[in-house]
Amino acid sequence: MKIRAETPAATPPLTAEAFAHVDHWIFDLDNTLYSHEAKVWPQVDERITLFLAELFGLDGLSSRALQKYYYQRYGTTLKGLMEEHGINPDDFLDFAHQIDLTLLDPNPALGEAIAALPGRKLILTNGSRGHAENVAGKLGILQHFEDIFDIVQAGFTPKPERATYETFLAKHAVEPGRAAMFEDIEKNLIVPSALGMKTVLIVPKTPDPFREAWEQTAVEAGHIHHITADLTGFLQPLGRCDERKN
């Protein structure tokens, strides 16, 4: 596995023919469909820290450390709290996603690029359906998606667990060999690639100070087929039917 320090527009060179077989377009939500400048994810992250602080009576630093422990061990803080403390997941999700979307602007260009993609479009997120609807709605792109597969439908088993993808594929009758997956976290593309999907890693144009470095690094690996810092620009040529093979 090779880590690139820069944030390339796409690698290897993008051609419409490389996606000519794709008619199932699967998108992660947070830090994939919007840039970190919108300050959406930091608010969720802070709300999770606060939830732990209030639940266990911890100070901020201790709460943050516990949050990171659960995230590293279980894939999400929620999964750790459910496994070790049996908390009500609905309470957690409602609390974590009470955020302000003021800085998240509509993105009509992204909406047009998604709408032009041939076939079905789906969101696959470790967050809640309500959060995905709020974010995609504010972006002005919600209407372009057939459905949202959230952490509840996944049985609270998060990506990158293989079972999550298998449940998603079965529910929506998606053929992996005809699908493309867009994600901002490299490890979440390991299983999609193994299942036969085309994979695209989304990296930030500028470093996000609120996320770990490994979560936003351009990683070159066998399971990463393309890397882009411009999702809209990446998608636009893929929706031009005259450039796609039948």
Side-chain angles (χ1 to χ4, degrees):
M1 180 182 293
K2 181 180 179 181
I3 297 178
R4 298 175 57 142
E6 71 272 23
T7 55
T11 183
L14 175 65
T15 62
E17 289 77 10
F19 288 79
H21 64 292
V22 174
D23 57 10
H24 294 74
W25 307 86
I26 305 160
F27 295 84
D28 173 51
L29 179 78
D30 289 309
N31 297 308
T32 294
L33 291 176
Y34 61 82
S35 67
H36 67 82
E37 286 83 3
K39 300 291 191 298
V40 174
W41 179 251
Q43 293 183 69
V44 176
D45 204 32
E46 289 174 0
R47 295 286 293 174
I48 294 173
T49 304
L50 181 59
F51 184 92
L52 292 175
E54 294 183 354
L55 181 65
F56 297 114
L58 299 173
D59 61 74
L61 289 176
S62 299
S63 178
R64 187 71 174 174
L66 183 60
Q67 177 183 350
K68 293 304 180 183
Y69 162 76
Y70 285 141
Y71 177 65
Q72 293 292 337
R73 180 170 181 179
Y74 294 100
T76 62
T77 304
L78 173 58
K79 183 69 171 178
L81 289 171
M82 292 177 67
E83 290 286 337
E84 297 194 9
H85 302 282
I87 72 156
N88 184 326
D90 293 332
D91 293 342
F92 176 93
L93 292 171
D94 289 344
F95 187 93
H97 294 136
Q98 290 178 19
I99 60 173
D100 180 8
L101 298 179
T102 300
L103 296 180
L104 183 64
D105 294 324
N107 192 340
L110 176 59
E112 291 173 4
I114 292 173
L117 297 172
R120 304 166 65 198
K121 300 100 182 186
L122 299 154
I123 292 175
L124 171 55
T125 175
N126 279 346
S128 69
R129 172 180 287 272
H131 175 60
E133 289 176 342
N134 290 339
V135 170
K138 185 71 188 302
L139 286 168
I141 63 175
L142 179 60
Q143 68 273 22
H144 303 307
F145 291 97
E146 176 184 318
D147 202 357
I148 297 166
F149 185 90
D150 72 345
I151 194 65
V152 178
Q153 293 186 66
F156 302 102
T157 299
K159 297 177 288 183
E161 295 297 324
R162 187 182 184 94
T164 299
Y165 301 95
E166 291 177 340
T167 302
F168 164 79
L169 295 173
K171 176 177 175 57
H172 291 288
V174 173
E175 294 183 27
R178 296 167 53 190
M181 180 79 195
F182 297 80
E183 253 283 354
D184 68 298
I185 296 180
E186 166 269 326
K187 67 179 182 179
N188 289 352
L189 291 172
I190 294 174
V191 172
S193 175
L195 291 170
M197 296 185 200
K198 183 74 71 172
T199 63
V200 183
L201 179 65
I202 311 300
V203 294
K205 292 180 180 180
T206 59
D208 183 352
F210 294 98
R211 300 175 65 202
E212 301 290 338
W214 66 266
E215 292 180 306
Q216 50 185 319
T217 303
V219 176
E220 290 186 350
H223 61 281
I224 305 295
H225 303 141
H226 295 275
I227 303 173
T228 182
D230 179 8
L231 178 60
T232 300
F234 187 94
L235 294 177
Q236 285 171 336
L238 305 183
R240 298 171 185 164
C241 297
D242 58 327
E243 294 185 10
R244 292 172 56 91
K245 291 183 179 179
N246 294 324

